[in-house]
Amino acid sequence: MGISIYLSRFLTLFLCLVFPSYLAIRGTDSLSDTALLFSSLSRRAEAVHFALTSPLAPAPAPISTEATGRRRKRYPSFPDALAHSINSFEQYAFLAEKVLQRKHARYAKQTPAQKAISNKIGYSTHFEKSRKAVELNARFVEQIAQIARAHYHTGPGALEDEEDADFGLVDLAFGHLSRDWSTQGAKERQAVFPRVLDGLERHFGGKGRGKKVLVPGSGMGRLASDIADLGYDVTANELDYGSILAYHLLTNHTHSLHQHTLQPFATKWTHQANPSSRYTALTVPDHWPNKSVKLVEGDFLNMFPEDAEFDAVVTLFFIDMSDNVIDFLSNIHRLLKPGGVWINLGPLKWGTHSALQLSAEEVLQLADVLGFDVDQTSRKSIDSLYAEQPETLLKFTYVTQFWSATKRV
Ligand SMILES: C[S@@+](CC[C@H](N)C(=O)[O-])C[C@H]1O[C@@H](n2cnc3c(N)ncnc32)[C@H](O)[C@@H]1O
Ligand SMILES: *[C@@H]1O[C@H](CO)[C@@H](O)[C@H](O)[C@H]1NC(C)=O
Ligand SMILES: *[C@@H]1O[C@H](CO)[C@@H](O)[C@H](O)[C@H]1NC(C)=O
């Protein structure tokens, strides 16, 4: 294979998961604002497609995948996806400015009469206000990048070409921060977290203290932290450095609650009710991340070699992220002790990359086949928003599926 498995995995993840979820969060109306992002992505995708399909590609030298992976890696000491995330955080101000410039170009193209009318309703003031908000956000994300550079010993040099930076990655991180660690996100959390925590407490009969719980795909880590607050011994696992790096800042480099302020919607002008809603400010964190949570960085399928390590596995908005749900469910099953509990809450928003796009009933049939006893009485459908701007005029509701299942003894 002429193309590193890593690169193709990353692209699949990006094109199929991150970009669609970006659209889900921001709405398709923001497409024009992501045109740039998309064109650079499609260039990369074309390159990969070419490398994968071109019959003229020279036969690769017979070396192992592992060696190929290593040779193609730009940095031997840390993942390329980390370099990409740091670069994206560092280029945020520049990328956000481009988004604003495109809006300004469309505004400026109006006739003088149209411009005068739009200014009567104050439209032109938004460019300056948004720029100020972007500066505020930039100070925050620069901290994230600096901490990451120190933590992973990247040195001061450029990690990636500037134009590879990705606005969507930072924007998604803002959405996740808002959901997990802001007061504004409390409503979204309240809709789903208590159900999950209650499922755990029921399974352990309130005697869960010290039990080992794994939360794969932990995102920004709030659920993992809340589970730890109940006394469980929690391992969180995440592979997206957009989330991981922001989480580092919150857990290890934050000295007071509500220390960090951001205006995540400053570049999002669609679905706004009034002029000021674009500038809604959030402060994070609204609660201390529990430092006893161990964060394992990397792919859930590769990072846990030991079988039957956990008393519980909790998946929140996670199982539909899989390339193949059989792999995720088998891995959950393998990692559980016999009698251990799997608690799930989330949508079934399978990406186009998913080998199987199962219905809820089929997921549970699969669970049964793989050796789970599904507690049919536990099942619930719960309406849930995810990382939505509180004042948005577009609300995307997931009818999430909750269940609890135990590993058959
Ligand atoms: C929709 S997000 C949900 C995050 C969090 N559970 C929440 O509810 O806020 C799914 C997360 O799973 C992560 N993820 C996807 N595949 C993964 C894998 N194979 N290993 C670890 N994390 C993964 C993604 O990076 C993403 O952060
Ligand atoms: C953090 O988690 C530990 C382990 O579960 C727990 O003992 C502790 O009370 C938690 N801290 C807070 C502030 O809840
Ligand atoms: C926080 O700092 C401790 C001590 O340096 C380290 O062991 C841990 O991995 C760090 N955690 C995060 C999430 O950065």
Side-chain angles (χ1 to χ4, degrees):
M1 291 290 279
I3 177 84
S4 87
I5 289 178
Y6 171 73
L7 180 62
S8 69
R9 274 195 89 124
F10 170 74
L11 269 162
T12 312
L13 178 79
F14 200 89
L15 285 174
C16 304
L17 293 176
V18 181
F19 190 67
S21 53
Y22 170 71
L23 287 184
I25 288 171
R26 292 295 172 241
T28 43
D29 288 7
S30 63
L31 255 181
S32 54
D33 287 339
T34 58
L36 184 94
L37 159 77
F38 200 62
S39 73
S40 93
L41 274 173
S42 48
R43 256 188 284 120
R44 273 188 263 176
E46 269 165 31
V48 168
H49 183 74
F50 180 78
L52 286 172
T53 56
S54 171
L56 300 174
I63 45 177
S64 74
T65 321
E66 216 192 334
T68 313
R70 225 178 270 138
R71 267 234 304 253
R72 284 178 163 271
K73 231 168 122 21
R74 272 181 83 169
Y75 306 98
S77 57
F78 54 85
D80 288 346
L82 171 63
H84 178 61
S85 292
I86 294 176
N87 187 41
S88 299
F89 283 121
E90 287 178 344
Q91 301 298 323
Y92 163 79
F94 166 75
L95 297 170
E97 176 61 26
K98 275 197 181 167
V99 172
L100 293 181
Q101 274 173 13
R102 283 197 294 279
K103 291 185 198 299
H104 192 267
R106 291 192 293 267
Y107 155 84
K109 256 201 201 143
Q110 298 181 105
T111 63
Q114 288 169 327
K115 244 192 268 181
I117 294 170
S118 29
N119 289 346
K120 269 198 182 146
I121 55 168
Y123 194 80
S124 62
T125 64
H126 289 306
F127 298 103
E128 200 42 42
K129 284 184 195 156
S130 290
R131 241 161 234 145
K132 285 232 165 69
V134 164
E135 278 168 29
L136 179 87
N137 295 340
R139 283 199 287 279
F140 175 70
V141 296
E142 275 157 19
Q143 283 183 63
I144 294 178
Q146 271 173 20
I147 289 162
R149 278 182 177 272
H151 186 88
Y152 297 96
H153 311 288
T154 67
L159 296 173
E160 202 187 40
D161 293 337
E162 260 176 35
E163 62 267 23
D164 289 328
D166 166 13
F167 181 74
L169 183 147
V170 182
D171 203 34
L172 265 179
F174 286 166
H176 287 145
L177 268 169
S178 151
R179 172 180 186 268
D180 270 16
W181 298 107
S182 82
T183 311
Q184 282 91 335
K187 227 171 131 185
E188 286 184 4
R189 298 194 298 271
Q190 278 307 312
V192 292
F193 284 27
R195 182 77 58 183
V196 170
L197 299 175
D198 183 59
L200 272 176
E201 294 287 75
R202 270 170 203 251
H203 175 79
F204 293 108
K207 299 193 186 82
R209 181 157 280 277
K211 296 286 186 202
K212 288 196 73 177
V213 180
L214 174 66
V215 184
S218 52
M220 286 283 168
R222 179 61 180 264
L223 180 71
S225 177
D226 285 4
I227 295 173
D229 284 356
L230 294 177
Y232 293 89
D233 175 1
V234 180
T235 302
N237 159 240
E238 177 54 61
L239 54 60
D240 168 46
Y241 283 97
S243 291
I244 292 170
L245 301 185
Y247 180 73
H248 283 187
L249 171 76
L250 292 183
T251 46
N252 274 355
H253 303 272
T254 295
H255 49 77
S256 57
L257 292 178
H258 302 286
Q259 179 183 331
H260 312 285
T261 305
L262 58 159
Q263 292 173 275
F265 316 109
T267 51
K268 191 212 158 204
W269 294 11
T270 51
H271 308 295
Q272 301 299 330
N274 58 63
S276 62
S277 53
R278 298 173 180 89
Y279 312 111
T280 302
L282 308 177
T283 56
V284 293
D286 69 328
H287 177 84
W288 281 115
N290 192 310
K291 288 196 184 197
S292 77
V293 173
K294 288 173 284 295
L295 175 64
V296 174
E297 301 173 12
D299 191 328
F300 166 60
L301 296 175
N302 307 329
M303 300 307 293
F304 302 95
E306 191 187 328
D307 293 351
E309 193 187 342
F310 295 97
D311 299 292
V313 175
V314 176
T315 51
L316 181 69
F317 285 76
F318 178 65
I319 59 169
D320 52 345
M321 299 270 115
S322 48
D323 289 343
N324 190 324
V325 64
I326 296 175
D327 292 342
F328 269 27
L329 267 52
S330 307
N331 205 38
I332 293 169
H333 188 267
R334 179 183 67 81
L335 291 171
L336 280 173
K337 296 176 185 169
V341 71
W342 167 38
I343 289 171
N344 177 73
L345 193 157
L348 297 173
K349 181 183 165 182
W350 309 106
T352 47
H353 60 98
S354 297
L356 305 173
Q357 300 182 313
L358 302 185
S359 66
E361 294 299 333
E362 287 163 327
V363 173
L364 292 177
Q365 279 174 29
L366 173 64
D368 184 69
V369 168
L370 294 176
F372 287 100
D373 283 326
V374 177
D375 176 1
Q376 293 293 340
T377 65
S378 70
R379 292 181 61 186
K380 293 266 164 10
S381 287
I382 301 157
D383 286 359
S384 166
L385 305 179
Y386 190 94
E388 207 82 82
Q389 177 184 10
E391 314 87 342
T392 180
L393 300 184
L394 174 72
K395 298 202 184 197
F396 205 96
T397 304
Y398 293 101
V399 183
T400 61
Q401 300 298 299
F402 172 88
W403 59 75
S404 169
T406 48
K407 177 170 175 169
R408 217 168 277 140
V409 191

